[in-house]
Amino acid sequence: MKYDFKKIEGKWQKEWEKAQIYKAKDFSNKKKYFALVEFPYPSADGLHVGHVESYTAMDIVARKRRMEGYNVLFPMGWDAFGLPAENYAIKTNIHPAKTTRINAKNYEKQMRSLGFSFDWSRLVDTTDPDYYKWTQQLFLRFFEKGLAYRAKANVNWCLSCKTALANEEVVNGRCERCGGEVTQREKEQWMLKITNYADKLLAGLKDLDFLQEIKTSQINWIGKSEGALLDFSISNSDFKVKVFTTRPDTIFGATYLVLAPEHVLISNLKNQISNFGEIEEYVLRTSKKTEEDRLKSDKDKTGVELRGVFAINPATKENIPIFISDYVLANYGTGAIMAVPAHDERDFKFANKFNLQIKKVVEFKDARIFGSLKSFKESFISEVKKKWNFRDLNNKEDIFEIVSNEVKDIFELAKNNFNDHSAVLWSDGDVKQILFHSDSGENKIFDWSDGELAKNARNYGLMLGIKQEFMGWGNILEPYLEDGKLINSGEFTDLLSSEKRWEIAYSLNGRKEIKYKLRDWVFSRQRYWGEPIPLAYCDVCSANVKSFGIDPKKNWSEGEKLNPGWVAIPEKNLPVVLPSLKKFKPGEDGESPLAEAKNWIWIKCPKCGGKARRETDTMPNWAGSSWYFLAYALGGSLAYKKKGSFWNKKKLDYWLPVDWYNGGMEHVTLHLLYSRFWNNFLFDEKLVSNPEPFQKRTAQGLILGKGGVKMSKSKGNVVNPDVVSSEFGADALRLYEMFMGPFNQAKVWEVSGILGPYRFLERVWNFGTEMVSSGVSDDKELSVLVNATIKKVSDDVEKMAFNTAVSSMMILINSFYEKKELSVNLWKKFLLILAPFAPHITEELWQKTSIKKSKKIKFIHQEAWPEYDEKLVGDKTVEIVIQVNGKIRGTISVDIGVSEEKLKKQVLDLEGVKKAIDGKEIKKVIFIKDRLINFVI
RNA sequence: GGGCAAGUGGCGAAAUGGCAGACGCGCAGGCUUCAGGAGCCUGUGAUCGCAAGAUCGUGAGGGUUCAAAUCCCUCCUUGCCCACCA
């Protein structure tokens, strides 16, 4: 009988669907397991092979968990708001809701045909008004608690289209559509105060089982840094400049200040600045700078000095110049820095360009001693290696380095151990000496604090890449960025910079301050195809809030107090449904397309009954995906479409947190951070019981097209999973994607690669239909191998080492073929471990074997995951490697657990070993039980 | 410029201190077949050798170790993410 995957796959997909075996039950005696994959944006192109990779992996996990007796929730949905649907609508005038519906249907069909065990009854769709009603309601919570506020933020602005652009629409600083120039333009927008949660989002990571690189990217994005705020007075003025620095210990080396071009001090000091015209011009120029220009000017720092004014360094009391430059950002820290060119790379570059004083205030704590290997006798090298941290720097001159503060001892040792080459040893530490053994046989010691002598020493042939500042002469060539010993620092001189960092700050009336790179989340988009922001603006209420201040009788929420005039649409009027429009294009003046819906905009103010205008901006894509996992737990569309209360904390408590979340590496910063932020906030609002939504998070590697490049329509290298599965079957496609390579690494799609897994399935089919019979009893060797494979596959799935799991099953079927027959018992175990990977073929073959069916259990996917017998995993005998001096001279097969003595006798009698040892004395024997024996001669 | 990965046969890769190249693709040969982009079997890192076997071999160089693809140092290359974050 031929392996007819088309017939088999369709048949079982229908049967499973009929029996509803993947439906998750709220509450159960079984332990729950929530397996989550990122829900896709249903594009017109259909499913991508990258989706298939992620879904197959988690499908395997979900199926295995069910077999292990868990109550599993493995849901799917549509993250359907987005730019492509909107752009398509602009082009064709077809409503995005319609295209979305068609695309989603196609996605569902494709996913079903691949046999994923999703619980389709819980499907969610972010563009469903019944869904985004809750997205809006949750947003209003942020608003009511004062976590949403209006502020000016930059948007990408196309000068020729006169519209705001999404980041995706800006390509190399130009508009994707018309190729016009893109600049930044300020616009008032809604912001979410994610920075309030910066600390929680950082601390919360600690106990989570995320891949380390994912944690790192979250940590870096939050970017916590601890610094000091310090005041610099301005000479002849009452104004002060506050600077933020992480290195207050270097303040004695602060030789100038730099302000961001937007800094208020500039206008405050207008009358005292003699070159104000020049300053104004610079400010104007930088404000016009596009992203592109800034990239170009990366290397070359620009700036202008504020002439006529000076700041006073609070540590040295010296007058220092003030500059403005766009390398200082207005919206980080205080928008002003103290520049320490000797110890900061950017300040160093700037100082060199403008010829400013560079003052060194920190130096290396230990001595760093360099020498040339050729200069010293073996005895010196071996002695030094024993006592100190010796590193061979592997320059052509064989330079080594020792980091130590025992310079004197090392020099003492060196004196007596010269070769007769010219010898070199130098140090930049406490003992500033150079030992030198000249060609004429003379030993000389130079004190290098004496610049002249040291220069002479150099002429003897000492220059082997010595950095000049180590020698204590000449200019500083590069800044020293690390901690070390303070110099030129008043009372703190000779103390350690790391220990005195805060003391120095406090002594100058500074205070500690924690800053984050993380900025508040710009939550407005000037777009049609997103959730309307459920707020309205009312002039009367604005005046009321402002004039009454905080009047408790008026019942103003925090958000309404924070944003005078802005009032929430009441819950009973949600959802605020997107009005249908004729034109979807963003407005010419930077307004959202919704501003064109004249009938929709004007409403009765929910607060005072007057005239109010709706917010016309919509929410960003990230909104709907910030809580979709909660919607699944709450029952999905069936639940949110039903009247009555959708939010059910008992269900959330049961299912959350997500036990395992897998998705793309491209979403491990923003989406992950945003959804953790929402969940943390909902926890504070007592709407959920865990601050952290995801217990474990992993990521798959990209699947690339030919030549290792990203798959894209324009390159014509997109692989359609439908085409592959109609030729080789869903099981073969699933297996191939798991077999391709390490799950978390980027992999290149190779058409011919699928043949291996396909042939494997054919072999499984042929063996199962022809060579398994009830008359055969368990073969001993095969029992052992089946056991080992169960263990291997069980472990590998947990590690996401799917490629080696598949290969171990290939090895197993190859061994079955070698024996030419197999017992039903072992065959069933094999089918069970293969079932999560290839659900259809295993179901068909399972049904063909003589199995007991019960009312409850009809399918292989309802059976229990096979256990392995630890005693049967290994063989009774084991191959031991025999080495002589680390080289392999043979192997020997012995009983497991054999002792060193016994093995030694046996091994030394072997011809090959005798020959290798050649009668020499055995100095040492290394014996690793059941692994290896190594004779050192 | 910064951060994070990764470099192993003709190719995808395995081995995370203990027999480098499992498993698969491709290739070569054999069996079977009217036929095959089918199935089964055998071989397949390089060099030398009829063979047994020997030597070399995991981006380059060095170090630690009885033993290194694996750990440490320096450098090179590629990919991804981020752009002056004090």
Side-chain angles (χ1 to χ4, degrees):
Chain A
M1 213 187 336
K2 230 190 119 214
Y3 167 42
D4 185 354
F5 57 81
K6 273 194 178 132
K7 206 168 119 196
I8 295 170
E9 290 177 356
K11 175 170 111 192
W12 290 112
Q13 281 158 17
K14 269 185 212 124
E15 292 282 334
W16 298 329
E17 173 68 19
K18 220 186 329 179
Q20 294 280 301
I21 60 171
Y22 305 128
K23 206 165 169 175
K25 292 184 192 73
D26 292 325
F27 316 114
S28 157
N29 293 331
K30 294 179 182 176
K31 268 178 92 175
K32 70 95 184 177
Y33 200 89
F34 191 168
L36 183 67
V37 287
E38 283 166 355
F39 62 160
Y41 170 77
S43 68
D45 308 331
L47 214 57
H48 185 275
V49 285
H51 292 123
V52 178
E53 184 189 20
S54 172
Y55 303 159
T56 304
M58 281 316 280
D59 190 48
I60 289 166
V61 171
R63 286 178 185 276
K64 177 163 180 266
R65 287 290 180 278
R66 283 192 203 96
M67 293 170 83
E68 287 167 338
Y70 287 86
N71 180 29
V72 171
L73 171 56
F74 185 44
M76 183 38 69
W78 316 123
D79 187 16
F81 278 125
L83 210 55
E86 179 167 321
N87 282 339
Y88 185 74
I90 292 169
K91 242 194 309 193
T92 61
N93 255 333
I94 296 171
H95 197 278
K98 196 173 169 190
T99 41
T100 296
R101 209 161 43 235
I102 294 164
N103 293 345
K105 272 281 160 244
N106 182 40
Y107 264 63
E108 182 175 343
K109 198 192 93 220
Q110 287 185 298
M111 287 183 195
R112 282 183 184 273
S113 78
L114 290 170
F116 298 129
S117 62
F118 294 129
D119 176 356
W120 286 102
S121 73
R122 290 176 186 248
L123 191 84
V124 304
D125 174 356
T126 55
T127 64
D128 186 334
D130 290 317
Y131 178 92
Y132 68 67
K133 167 183 169 181
W134 287 92
T135 310
Q136 290 174 337
Q137 202 160 314
L138 295 175
F139 167 80
L140 285 181
R141 282 267 177 167
F142 285 99
F143 176 75
E144 279 154 19
K145 295 292 154 134
L147 288 174
Y149 65 96
R150 280 179 81 77
K152 285 202 166 157
N154 280 335
V155 295
N156 300 307
W157 184 259
C158 174
L159 290 172
S160 65
C161 302
K162 294 199 179 79
T163 56
L165 297 178
N167 275 332
E168 295 96 298
E169 295 169 305
V170 184
V171 180
N172 295 330
R174 303 205 151 258
C175 174
E176 188 191 41
R177 244 174 283 164
C178 70
E181 198 184 333
V182 175
T183 54
Q184 300 294 303
R185 184 167 154 169
E186 277 199 325
K187 194 181 176 302
E188 275 229 333
Q189 312 200 54
W190 286 102
M191 313 281 282
L192 284 191
K193 266 192 204 168
I194 190 171
T195 49
N196 275 21
Y197 280 79
D199 243 346
K200 280 186 183 173
L201 292 172
L202 201 58
L205 284 172
K206 212 177 107 236
D207 298 320
L208 300 178
D209 182 14
F210 288 8
L211 286 183
Q212 191 48 49
E213 58 215 278
I214 296 178
K215 275 194 188 180
T216 307
S217 81
Q218 296 264 297
I219 291 167
N220 288 348
W221 193 264
I222 295 167
K224 181 177 184 168
S225 63
E226 202 176 47
L229 287 177
L230 297 170
D231 284 330
F232 280 68
S233 307
I234 305 296
S235 58
N236 306 323
S237 156
D238 292 335
F239 291 113
K240 285 187 173 175
V241 178
K242 225 180 235 327
V243 304
F244 175 70
T245 175
T246 52
R247 291 294 302 276
D249 48 299
T250 61
I251 190 163
F252 286 88
T255 51
Y256 59 95
L257 289 190
V258 187
L259 312 179
E262 298 88 343
H263 201 279
V264 286
L265 190 79
I266 297 163
S267 52
N268 287 345
L269 292 179
K270 186 175 177 178
N271 296 331
Q272 290 168 62
I273 298 171
S274 57
N275 59 339
F276 197 76
E278 199 186 343
I279 299 292
E280 269 186 317
E281 197 210 328
Y282 182 80
V283 172
L284 192 69
R285 204 169 52 212
T286 52
S287 72
K288 273 190 182 164
K289 265 193 184 177
T290 64
E291 200 73 9
E292 202 177 14
D293 292 335
R294 282 183 51 201
L295 286 174
K296 273 186 195 155
S297 65
D298 187 21
K299 290 251 161 68
D300 197 20
K301 300 234 175 301
T302 60
V304 185
E305 185 178 352
L306 305 184
R307 297 199 189 279
V309 291
F310 287 97
I312 299 163
N313 181 322
T316 63
K317 312 290 179 211
E318 282 167 17
N319 277 359
I320 57 175
I322 307 173
F323 284 79
I324 58 168
S325 171
D326 61 357
Y327 85 92
V328 173
L329 302 178
N331 46 9
Y332 183 81
T334 59
I337 62 158
M338 64 178 207
V340 186
H343 305 290
D344 182 281
E345 206 124 17
R346 288 146 305 176
D347 298 344
F348 183 79
K349 274 188 194 156
F350 192 85
N352 273 332
K353 176 158 181 188
F354 290 91
N355 237 335
L356 299 161
Q357 192 198 350
I358 299 173
K359 185 179 162 195
K360 195 171 170 178
V361 291
V362 184
E363 70 175 12
F364 203 67
K365 179 177 115 251
D366 289 320
R368 208 182 269 162
I369 302 159
F370 300 88
S372 165
L373 281 173
K374 279 182 282 184
S375 308
F376 297 97
K377 292 177 187 157
E378 272 294 307
S379 53
F380 171 78
I381 306 290
S382 63
E383 192 75 2
V384 161
K385 273 188 188 172
K386 252 183 252 168
K387 286 189 181 161
W388 292 287
N389 179 12
F390 177 94
R391 293 201 306 144
D392 186 343
L393 293 183
N394 189 35
N395 284 347
K396 281 172 198 134
E397 294 85 2
D398 297 318
I399 293 174
F400 61 85
E401 179 195 69
I402 308 163
V403 176
S404 166
N405 49 23
E406 294 162 3
V407 185
K408 273 183 192 147
D409 297 347
I410 295 168
F411 269 71
E412 243 0 89
L413 189 62
K415 270 185 201 169
N416 306 316
N417 285 288
F418 281 134
N419 274 336
D420 45 10
H421 299 292
S422 73
V424 181
L425 187 72
W426 67 93
S427 151
D428 63 342
D430 288 335
V431 180
K432 305 202 170 187
Q433 285 182 320
I434 304 165
L435 262 180
F436 176 67
H437 182 86
S438 72
D439 288 334
S440 57
E442 210 179 340
N443 279 353
K444 272 191 181 171
I445 297 175
F446 298 96
D447 181 345
W448 76 27
S449 58
D450 182 335
E452 276 309 305
L453 252 183
K455 271 183 193 166
N456 285 336
R458 188 161 51 150
N459 297 333
Y460 276 77
L462 264 179
M463 276 309 290
L464 295 170
I466 308 171
K467 289 176 180 169
Q468 286 194 7
E469 70 272 23
F470 290 157
M471 305 294 291
W473 70 66
N475 295 321
I476 297 176
L477 294 183
E478 56 183 49
Y480 176 72
L481 306 176
E482 272 137 77
D483 272 314
K485 203 176 69 181
L486 292 163
I487 56 173
N488 298 325
S489 298
E491 52 180 308
F492 299 99
T493 298
D494 287 339
L495 300 171
L496 292 181
S497 61
S498 56
E499 283 172 15
K500 294 293 156 185
R501 176 132 57 230
W502 305 112
E503 211 175 297
I504 292 174
Y506 298 144
S507 76
L508 301 169
N509 292 323
R511 62 181 168 85
K512 239 187 202 179
E513 173 108 342
I514 289 166
K515 296 270 180 201
Y516 300 92
K517 266 203 274 186
L518 184 71
R519 310 284 178 72
D520 279 338
W521 176 6
V522 182
F523 203 70
S524 302
R525 299 292 125 98
Q526 295 72 46
R527 288 284 165 181
Y528 174 73
W529 194 225
E531 302 90 342
I533 292 175
L535 296 170
Y537 182 82
C538 164
D539 278 328
V540 179
C541 288
S542 173
N544 284 346
V545 173
K546 281 179 191 158
S547 57
F548 296 157
I550 301 155
D551 180 354
K553 272 180 284 179
K554 288 287 175 190
N555 224 357
W556 299 109
S557 73
E558 289 299 318
E560 285 160 345
K561 282 187 275 186
L562 191 64
N563 304 286
W566 286 98
V567 296
I569 306 295
E571 203 181 308
K572 64 176 192 310
N573 295 337
L574 295 183
V576 175
V577 180
L578 268 173
S580 64
L581 289 182
K582 289 236 171 67
K583 284 191 172 169
F584 306 105
K585 206 176 166 179
E588 287 238 323
D589 43 4
E591 287 294 311
S592 155
L594 293 183
E596 298 298 311
K598 304 287 182 215
N599 296 332
W600 177 80
I601 290 175
W602 297 103
I603 57 169
K604 207 161 102 178
C605 173
K607 209 88 192 176
C608 69
K611 200 176 173 191
R613 187 182 191 274
R614 285 189 194 274
E615 171 60 76
T616 56
D617 282 355
T618 54
M619 297 189 201
N621 248 208
W622 311 103
S625 59
S626 289
W627 71 282
Y628 76 110
F629 43 93
L630 300 175
Y632 288 140
L634 291 165
S637 53
L638 284 182
Y640 65 67
K641 289 229 168 263
K642 220 185 268 171
K643 287 228 163 80
S645 183
F646 167 59
W647 206 270
N648 181 330
K649 209 175 169 203
K650 270 199 187 132
K651 287 186 191 174
L652 292 174
D653 285 354
Y654 178 69
W655 286 115
L656 275 263
V658 172
D659 295 276
W660 191 338
Y661 187 12
N662 184 69
M665 210 55 201
E666 69 273 24
H667 288 135
V668 299
T669 38
L670 293 182
H671 161 64
L672 196 57
L673 198 70
Y674 291 153
S675 46
R676 290 181 59 225
F677 165 47
W678 276 47
N679 204 83
N680 264 275
F681 170 69
L682 296 180
F683 171 73
D684 288 346
E685 290 296 295
K686 303 205 164 44
L687 288 171
V688 297
S689 299
N690 297 296
E692 289 295 332
F694 314 120
Q695 184 48 43
K696 173 172 181 159
R697 162 80 201 205
T698 52
Q700 77 272 9
L702 275 182
I703 294 188
L704 304 167
K706 255 216 164 78
V709 290
K710 262 192 185 166
M711 286 190 187
S712 74
K713 244 186 175 171
S714 56
K715 291 199 191 89
N717 60 354
V718 178
V719 177
N720 183 346
D722 279 354
V723 174
V724 180
S725 73
S726 69
E727 194 171 347
F728 298 98
D731 283 343
L733 171 61
R734 294 167 57 114
L735 220 49
Y736 171 54
E737 293 216 11
M738 293 300 99
F739 185 65
M740 283 177 86
F743 184 69
N744 58 1
Q745 268 174 43
K747 295 164 281 278
V748 176
W749 183 276
E750 190 62 58
V751 189
S752 59
I754 197 169
L755 285 173
Y758 177 72
R759 283 177 199 153
F760 164 70
L761 289 177
E762 268 193 330
R763 278 161 77 78
V764 170
W765 178 263
N766 292 338
F767 195 87
T769 51
E770 286 161 25
M771 285 149 130
V772 178
S773 85
S774 51
V776 179
S777 57
D778 290 3
D779 178 272
K780 232 186 177 164
E781 261 176 65
L782 290 181
S783 289
V784 169
L785 192 58
V786 166
N787 244 277
T789 309
I790 294 172
K791 180 174 162 54
K792 173 91 179 137
V793 172
S794 303
D795 296 348
D796 279 357
V797 168
E798 301 309 315
K799 288 190 298 190
M800 307 199 102
F802 301 108
N803 53 338
T804 49
V806 173
S807 90
S808 72
M809 290 188 282
M810 287 173 167
I811 292 169
L812 190 56
I813 195 86
N814 290 348
S815 318
F816 290 168
Y817 268 88
E818 268 168 41
K819 296 271 173 177
K820 298 197 169 64
E821 58 172 27
L822 187 70
S823 67
V824 174
N825 175 45
L826 291 179
W827 179 245
K828 279 163 75 175
K829 286 190 177 176
F830 169 70
L831 288 181
L832 287 169
I833 53 172
L834 181 58
F837 293 80
H840 309 91
I841 190 174
T842 48
E843 185 74 86
E844 179 72 17
L845 289 169
W846 182 261
Q847 303 289 341
K848 281 183 187 297
T849 59
S850 49
I851 49 160
K852 271 190 224 149
K853 288 188 193 175
S854 71
K855 268 193 183 163
K856 269 190 168 171
I857 300 178
K858 288 197 182 114
F859 304 98
I860 188 171
H861 304 291
Q862 295 167 302
E863 297 285 339
W865 185 255
E867 301 205 348
Y868 56 87
D869 186 345
E870 199 68 63
K871 278 175 277 174
L872 262 182
V873 163
D875 239 316
K876 285 258 160 55
T877 60
V878 69
E879 287 255 298
I880 290 189
V881 177
I882 307 160
Q883 295 182 338
V884 176
N885 274 353
K887 290 212 164 180
I888 288 125
R889 294 298 165 189
T891 60
I892 186 169
S893 190
V894 293
D895 286 346
I896 250 172
V898 75
S899 73
E900 180 176 346
E901 281 311 305
K902 207 174 156 194
L903 181 71
K904 212 162 109 184
K905 268 186 210 137
Q906 250 177 301
V907 167
L908 286 174
D909 275 345
L910 294 173
E911 270 313 308
V913 179
K914 272 188 193 164
K915 206 174 123 196
I917 291 176
D918 197 23
K920 287 187 188 116
E921 186 203 351
I922 295 170
K923 285 187 194 149
K924 201 172 165 189
V925 180
I926 312 278
F927 172 74
I928 314 284
K929 205 177 155 194
D930 294 339
R931 271 228 152 119
L932 142 154
I933 187 157
N934 183 13
F935 300 97
V936 185
I937 57 172

